[in-house]
């Protein structure tokens, strides 16, 4: 896949660049930000990293200190341009959303949904991770990938592909990129262990709660479960192992769609994660509820307490399965 010339020129001609990623960042977002920041610094730019957080996911917690999280401490006039990565709508930039209104903005992303923004857009929904697009930008700049950048890019690709499990045969190009990243110093084993090992004992209790509460609906075609604010307080929100919950429930015979509804601290809203195997488009379900994502992995926020959120999610999933989404 090629990187648009105008994106290459934009980063070459912007001396002071701020890189911003989406709220509640994941490995693809953090990996894209840090690898791109490293490469642009090497190319001579002054780079500032911003992300609104929170840095809840355990595998990204070690990188938290490398980001400015409070927009109040940032002055847009200190920069010449913005690069937004892995983010399909400006509202997912949290407090940093105004920055894209004040500065020339390039967007590097792979979501199918969202409200387009930015002056230069490199958005490819068929590419499984934003880090693959960042890889092509770094190579288009004529730079060799450093071992740090290789590790960060591999981390993002592994995150969004469920360690390559979600790829189909058409996406071989991304595996070719993975091979190049290994050549440059990325280790699948080290990446895997950092992402999936050393989980706390509490995380297994979290997993058990999600599993014991599951409700199979639509004749078993969908699994619906929830996590409460008390779970997060008692077990520690950084002990939530979402990937293990998703993998365990999607493995159940007949299940095509999974929804995990997570009550947020203030108990007036919930975050929902959708996952699919097969052809149901969960991005379409999430988009109807004000969120978005990808065909097989999407999410949204619902500004209702847990019981009402569960009802809304249940009826949205049933409707999507009835009509196709
Ligand atoms: P998650 O279930 O939180 O891992 O999110 C899965 C996918 O859905 C990711 O690609 C997110 O970018 C996307 N997503 C999650 N929450 C939202 C939201 N509120 N709005 C738009 N996209 C979302
Ligand atoms: Mn992401
Ligand atoms: Mn992504």
């Amino acid at each position: 896949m090629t990187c648009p010339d105008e994106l290459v020129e934009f980063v070459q001609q912007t001396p002071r660049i701020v890189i911003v990623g989406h709220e509640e960042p994941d490995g693809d977002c953090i990996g894209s930000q840090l690898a791109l920041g490293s490469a642009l610094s090497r190319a001579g730019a002054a780079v500032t990293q911003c992300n609104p957080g929170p840095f809840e996911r355990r595998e990204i917690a070690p990188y938290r200190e490398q980001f400015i999280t409070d927009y109040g401490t940032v002055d847009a006039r200190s920069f010449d341009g913005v690069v937004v990565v892995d983010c399909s709508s400006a509202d997912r930039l949290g407090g940093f959303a105004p920055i894209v209104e004040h500065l020339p903005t390039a967007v590097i992303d792979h979501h199918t949904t969202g409200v387009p923004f930015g002056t230069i857009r490199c958005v490819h929904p068929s590419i499984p991770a934003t880090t693959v697009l960042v890889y092509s930008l770094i190579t288009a700049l004529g730079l060799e990938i450093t071992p740090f950048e290789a590790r960060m890019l591999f981390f993002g690709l592994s995150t969004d592909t469920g360690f390559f499990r979600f790829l189909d045969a058409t996406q071989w190009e991304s595996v070719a990129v993975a091979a190049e990243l290994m050549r440059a110093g990325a280790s699948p084993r080290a990446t895997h262990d950092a992402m999936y090992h050393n989980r706390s004992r509490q995380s297994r209790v979290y997993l058990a709660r999600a599993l014991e509460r599951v409700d199979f609906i639509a004749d078993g075609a969908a699994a619906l479960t929830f996590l409460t604010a008390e779970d997060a307080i008692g077990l520690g929100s950084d002990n939530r192992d979402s990937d293990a919950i998703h993998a365990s429930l999607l493995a159940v015979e007949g299940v095509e769609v999974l929804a995990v509804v997570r009550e947020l601290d203030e108990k007036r809203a919930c975050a929902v994660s959708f996952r699919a195997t097969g052809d149901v488009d969960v991005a379409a379900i999430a988009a109807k509820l004000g969120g978005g994502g990808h065909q097989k992995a999407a999410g949204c926020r619902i500004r209702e307490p847990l019981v009402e959120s569960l009802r809304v999610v249940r009826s949205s999933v049933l409707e999507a399965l009835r009509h196709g989404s």
Side-chain angles (χ1 to χ4, degrees):
M1 144 257 342
T2 52
C3 186
D5 290 343
E6 54 172 358
L7 176 61
V8 178
E9 284 157 21
F10 176 78
V11 296
Q12 280 172 331
Q13 291 162 11
T14 307
R16 298 172 304 168
I17 297 182
V18 55
I19 302 176
V20 193
H22 66 76
E23 61 191 356
E24 292 187 65
D26 50 25
D28 189 31
C29 182
I30 295 305
S32 295
Q33 289 197 250
L34 293 179
L36 181 61
S38 162
L40 296 182
S41 301
R42 290 195 292 129
V47 175
T48 302
Q49 295 281 6
C50 294
N51 190 296
F55 287 68
E56 268 194 2
R57 297 172 205 247
R58 194 185 147 284
E59 67 277 14
I60 56 140
Y63 306 104
R64 165 191 255 129
E65 300 307 320
Q66 304 191 39
F67 295 87
I68 296 171
T69 54
D70 179 4
Y71 181 63
T73 64
V74 168
D75 180 353
R77 286 168 301 189
S78 333
F79 310 110
D80 305 302
V82 192
V83 180
V84 174
V85 296
D86 199 38
C87 181
S88 54
S89 297
D91 62 1
R92 294 207 77 217
L93 298 174
F96 292 99
I99 209 166
V100 301
E101 287 160 23
H102 293 115
L103 291 166
T105 300
V107 178
I108 307 175
D109 183 41
H110 67 132
H111 290 87
T112 51
T113 55
V115 182
F117 67 101
T119 31
I120 294 169
R121 294 180 53 77
C122 172
V123 180
H124 294 275
S126 66
I127 298 298
T130 299
T131 57
V132 174
L133 300 169
V134 171
Y135 170 83
S136 63
L137 173 57
I138 297 174
T139 51
L141 286 165
L143 296 169
E144 292 279 321
I145 304 279
T146 66
F148 169 76
E149 291 159 16
R151 289 197 300 274
M152 287 295 105
L153 295 171
F154 195 92
F155 174 38
L157 179 55
S158 304
T159 299
D160 273 21
T161 60
F163 229 92
F164 303 96
R165 304 192 313 277
F166 309 144
L167 294 175
D168 61 35
T170 66
Q171 293 168 306
W172 58 269
E173 242 183 317
S174 295
V175 181
V177 169
E180 290 303 324
L181 296 174
M182 286 170 68
R183 194 209 301 267
S187 156
R189 185 173 59 202
T191 308
H192 176 276
D193 290 359
M195 286 170 63
Y196 299 110
H197 283 186
N198 297 314
R199 294 285 166 178
S200 64
R201 295 177 189 179
Q202 302 280 62
S203 73
R204 300 306 97 172
V205 181
Y206 235 131
L207 173 60
R209 290 202 185 150
L211 297 186
E212 74 190 3
R213 290 172 187 154
V214 69
D215 195 1
F216 293 103
I217 58 176
D219 293 327
L224 174 62
T225 191
F226 62 93
L227 297 164
T228 68
E230 279 79 20
D231 294 332
I233 294 161
L235 297 169
S237 53
D238 54 344
N239 285 316
R240 188 177 69 250
D241 189 349
S242 304
D243 222 54
I245 296 170
H246 299 153
S248 301
L249 288 171
L250 280 179
V252 175
E253 185 179 22
V255 170
E256 293 173 48
V257 179
L258 164 67
V260 181
V261 178
R262 181 165 52 91
E263 186 183 40
L264 300 174
D265 299 341
E266 71 275 25
K267 290 194 170 220
R268 286 191 299 270
C270 293
V272 188
S273 283
F274 293 101
R275 293 293 184 273
T277 58
D279 296 334
V280 180
D281 182 1
V282 288
I285 304 177
K288 279 188 193 163
L289 296 172
H294 313 275
Q295 188 235 311
K296 290 187 166 63
C300 67
R301 287 261 167 127
I302 299 179
R303 286 178 216 299
E304 298 285 353
L306 181 61
V307 172
E308 176 62 10
S309 294
L310 279 165
R311 195 194 62 72
V312 169
V313 169
R314 176 187 295 261
S315 66
S316 303
V317 169
L318 288 173
E319 158 118 354
L321 286 168
R322 247 195 321 272
H323 300 297
S325 47

